[in-house]
Amino acid sequence: THTATIDSSISPSVIYALISTTVLVTSLGRLVKTKMKMFWRALVAMATVSSLALAFSTTIPPLQRINANYPPTCLEAETRDFSFSDGHRRDLLVASSMGILMGVVGNTPSAGAAEAEPTQSTDGEGVVMYKTTSGLKYIELEPGRSMDASPRYGQICVISYKAYLKLPNAKDKEQFDSSGSYVLKHGSGRMIPGLDEGLHTMKPGGLRRMIIPPKLGFVQSGLGPLPQYPWDRSKLNSLLERMIDQRGGNLVYDVRLEKVMDDEADQGYYDDAELTPEEMEEIQQRLLKGRSTNT
């Protein structure tokens, strides 16, 4: 069996906006009924509707959790490369003894799958489809500027995109989001894994269609990009529920990499050498030792 838990709770600011609007409508309604003409009644009604729409569009929080238990084949663990230099490595070993390692590891980019050579296949119309070892598929719609470098983890990327969800029983994909200028930090762990992986080998100016399986999509809380407006987030929720019910489907992103730039605030954690198995084992031992000491 598989379930989906979607948390879209309303913040206190929404409740405050609703109470304030109710008081405003009640007060103005009495005034309108006794003294104002029809023109002013209509004007007040339009202002009330506008204030309600503004309150909901600005204060309802985005989708906070999509926790889907897919079949085991959709939850295969990803290979992750944990990157730290020699100096940072020593700091990490010390920090792990204080129990703060999990926050660092949880935000580390999954570079292994993106760096592997993808396989190629061609359909009857000559369209070349690439597939990586993680299960991501993509089509190069426009190759981009070959002289420019692909984005490195830790850099700032500006993208434009259109996002769809294709259900297995549907004839066509359904669009749920789009953006003409979306800024992200590549490899920060805040993007859905499939999109982050697909960006890693793109060239600036290029346009790529990414076909992202469920295990590389919205698999945990806090992942983006999420639709800006609440009705688009509601549509995404509905599509994800249908995808889980039908036990299949893919996210489809048409992404153009507009610009890549260095992050002046980056401290160099993304480009360092990866940890060795021995160091990972030492970290685990220190974590276990720290937990036993605290208990």
Side-chain angles (χ1 to χ4, degrees), residues 239-252:
L239 289 172
L240 290 171
E241 288 178 348
R242 290 163 60 189
M243 183 176 68
I244 295 171
D245 291 339
Q246 298 180 21
R247 303 177 67 86
N250 294 292
L251 293 166
V252 179

Side-chain angles (χ1 to χ4, degrees), residues 57-78:
S57 64
T58 57
T59 57
I60 290 182
L63 176 66
Q64 296 179 355
R65 183 173 69 250
I66 304 175
N67 182 15
N69 297 323
Y70 292 99
T73 55
C74 294
L75 289 177
E76 300 168 355
E78 293 181 64

Side-chain angles (χ1 to χ4, degrees), residues 116-243:
E117 282 294 329
T119 59
Q120 300 183 24
S121 61
T122 306
D123 63 10
E125 299 180 356
V127 177
V128 180
M129 174 83 73
Y130 298 88
K131 183 177 181 180
T132 68
T133 55
S134 69
L136 171 70
K137 298 179 182 179
Y138 61 87
I139 301 171
E140 295 287 10
L141 302 178
E142 297 179 20
R145 299 185 292 272
S146 59
M147 298 299 294
D148 293 346
S150 298
R152 302 188 312 273
Y153 290 122
Q155 287 189 306
I156 300 297
C157 296
V158 181
I159 64 173
S160 57
Y161 68 87
K162 291 183 179 180
Y164 310 85
L165 196 146
K166 175 67 169 64
L167 295 169
N169 299 328
K171 293 183 179 180
D172 201 0
K173 55 187 182 296
E174 293 190 49
Q175 182 175 340
F176 62 85
D177 190 18
S178 65
S179 177
S181 181
Y182 187 85
V183 181
L184 61 98
K185 187 174 178 68
H186 184 40
S188 65
R190 304 296 292 177
M191 305 293 295
I192 58 174
L195 182 57
D196 217 23
E197 179 184 345
L199 281 174
H200 196 62
T201 53
M202 290 187 68
K203 297 287 187 179
L207 178 64
R208 175 177 290 185
R209 170 164 293 179
M210 304 179 194
I211 304 171
I212 302 174
K215 66 177 181 178
L216 300 179
F218 296 98
V219 294
Q220 66 183 42
S221 61
L223 296 181
L226 290 172
Q228 177 181 0
Y229 299 107
W231 48 86
D232 288 331
R233 292 197 293 269
S234 177
K235 182 176 182 180
L236 173 59
N237 287 352
S238 176
L239 289 172
L240 290 171
E241 288 178 348
R242 290 163 60 189
M243 183 176 68

